[in-house]
């Protein structure tokens, strides 16, 4: 195969999905075809635009029901949700927190906000997320449990928690990870920012962590403009999450009593209104995205040198961002493929740089990251908006 053929073949597959009336297709565009206008208008008409209102309560209830958790607390963005999740499970300054090296920056930054130390873990080719088996073997080597507390033998620091991330909507192998967490006495927090609508063995992601984080940023499968949520099956932690994120104010008709240092991480009612309308549309979004993924899978199966990533066998994924992977002998063409597709108005993007290579995390502890490096070099994200699949759904 000639090099130029692979570039051309990939671009021509992407082009097949480009509607005739569009000059540009984005990676993931929001879609507002339901009750968004009605609900937002209601906020404006009634004046309830800010930090309290009926849509906040309704949005939390809809999230709780959709994900099957006991409590959902809406917050201002996914990064804030992660920050509070870490506090809720007791992560403190100088603790180490395990996370994949291949994730969005928010996962590591939230750990830094606490003053804790990110400790980077390798990924799995099967899920694109943290590899729980490899983590277990690594901890066997470098960690010891004393009096129910896990310590890093090399740094002397406590290893308090692990934050897996369900990459582009594909769940990590949670059962194996839960076993590792129990064995090493480590708290589990799921960064489910990308996996609303993704199920692991029939249950929604976010149910395995003691607490979990969602994001409703503009590029996610459901958006509130900006927003996030904390999920938990622990009612006591759920109450504390609500308290901490609403300035820790003790309920009273007129007095200002705050009983601990809280955060103003409240999701405004106007954003929650948008979220309620978006959640009503989730079944449509998921259906359209599955159709698109299926069509991509068929189309790319005919192109040698590249493969379309499909959900792991234990999962039903939301296919939030579709992924193609170049086989190793062609990964040097990635830049050319990105250039050629973007030149044609077909937005494509490489995956994040490994976080351990960014200046602020260069000195952080990490394990062997060979699979994460392989993924870093070979992944291309391709257009994934629901409307691209709607035409065929
Ligand atoms: C989107 C996202 C977040 C949260 O982002 P916000 O923009 O703060 O809502 C966190 N982690 C991952 C992996 C994400 O993709």
């Amino acid at each position: 195969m000639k090099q130029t053929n692979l570039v051309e073949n990939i671009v021509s597959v992407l082009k097949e999905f480009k509607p005739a009336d569009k000059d540009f297709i984005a990676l993931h565009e929001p879609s507002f075809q339901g009750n968004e206008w009605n609900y937002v208008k209601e906020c404006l008409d009634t004046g309830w635009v800010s930090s309290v209102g009926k849509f906040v309560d309704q949005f939390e209830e809809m999230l709780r029901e959709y994900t099957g958790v006991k409590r959902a607390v809406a917050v201002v963005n996914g990064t804030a949700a992660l920050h509070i999740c870490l506090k809720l499970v007791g992560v403190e300054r100088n603790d180490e927190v395990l996370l994949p090296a291949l994730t969005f920056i928010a996962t590591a930054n939230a750990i830094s906000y606490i003053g804790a130390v990110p400790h980077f873990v390798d990924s799995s080719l099967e899920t694109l997320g943290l590899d729980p088996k490899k983590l277990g073997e690594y901890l066997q080597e470098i960690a010891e449990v004393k009096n129910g507390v896990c310590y890093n033998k090399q740094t002397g620091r406590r290893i308090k928690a692990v934050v897996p991330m369900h990459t582009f909507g594909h769940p990590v192998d949670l059962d194996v990870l839960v076993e590792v967490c129990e064995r090493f006495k480590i708290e589990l927090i799921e960064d489910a920012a990308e996996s609303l609508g993704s199920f692991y063995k029939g249950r929604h992601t976010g149910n395995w962590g003691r607490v979990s984080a969602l994001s409703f940023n503009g590029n996610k499968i459901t958006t509130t403009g900006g927003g996030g949520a904390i999920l938990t099956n622990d009612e006591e932690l759920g109450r504390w999450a609500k308290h901490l994120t609403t300035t820790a104010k003790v309920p009273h008709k007129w007095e200002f009593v705050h009983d601990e240092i809280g955060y103003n991480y409240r999701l405004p009612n106007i954003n929650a209104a948008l979220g309620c309308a978006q959640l009503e549309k989730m079944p449509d979004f998921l259906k359209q995205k599955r159709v698109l993924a299926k069509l991509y899978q068929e189309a790319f199966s005919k192109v040698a040198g590249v493969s379309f990533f499909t959900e792991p066998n234990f999962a039903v994924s939301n296919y939030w961002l579709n992924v193609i992977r170049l086989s190793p002998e062609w990964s040097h063409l990635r830049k050319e493929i990105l250039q050629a597709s973007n030149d044609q108005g077909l937005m494509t993007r490489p995956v994040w740089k490994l976080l351990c290579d960014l200046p602020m995390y260069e000195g952080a502890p990490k394990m062997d990251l060979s699979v994460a490096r392989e993924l870093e070099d070979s992944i291309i994200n391709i257009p994934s908006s629901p409307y691209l699949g709607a035409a065929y759904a």
Side-chain angles (χ1 to χ4, degrees), residues 77-79 82 103-104 106-107 165 191 193-194 215-217 220 227:
N77 59 52
T79 311
L82 282 169
T103 178
F104 178 55
T107 324
M165 195 276 283
D191 181 345
E194 303 186 353
S215 166
F216 308 107
N217 191 38
K220 297 293 186 339

Side-chain angles (χ1 to χ4, degrees), residues 1 5 41 89 104 187 288 296:
M1 181 168 54
N5 283 355
K41 184 171 185 301
V89 304
F104 178 55
E187 297 282 1
Q288 290 159 2
Y296 271 141

Side-chain angles (χ1 to χ4, degrees), residues 118-163:
H119 186 152
F120 295 108
V121 176
D122 204 12
S123 307
S124 141
L125 289 176
E126 189 195 357
T127 66
L128 308 178
L130 176 150
D131 182 338
K133 193 161 165 283
K134 191 165 173 179
L135 174 62
E137 288 159 8
Y138 175 64
L139 289 173
Q140 197 66 43
E141 241 176 76
I142 66 122
E144 63 181 343
V145 178
K146 275 193 297 195
N147 299 324
V149 180
C150 185
Y151 292 94
N152 182 336
K153 288 189 282 187
Q154 296 166 341
T155 63
R157 287 187 291 246
R158 181 167 76 151
I159 302 177
K160 182 64 184 173
V162 59
V163 190

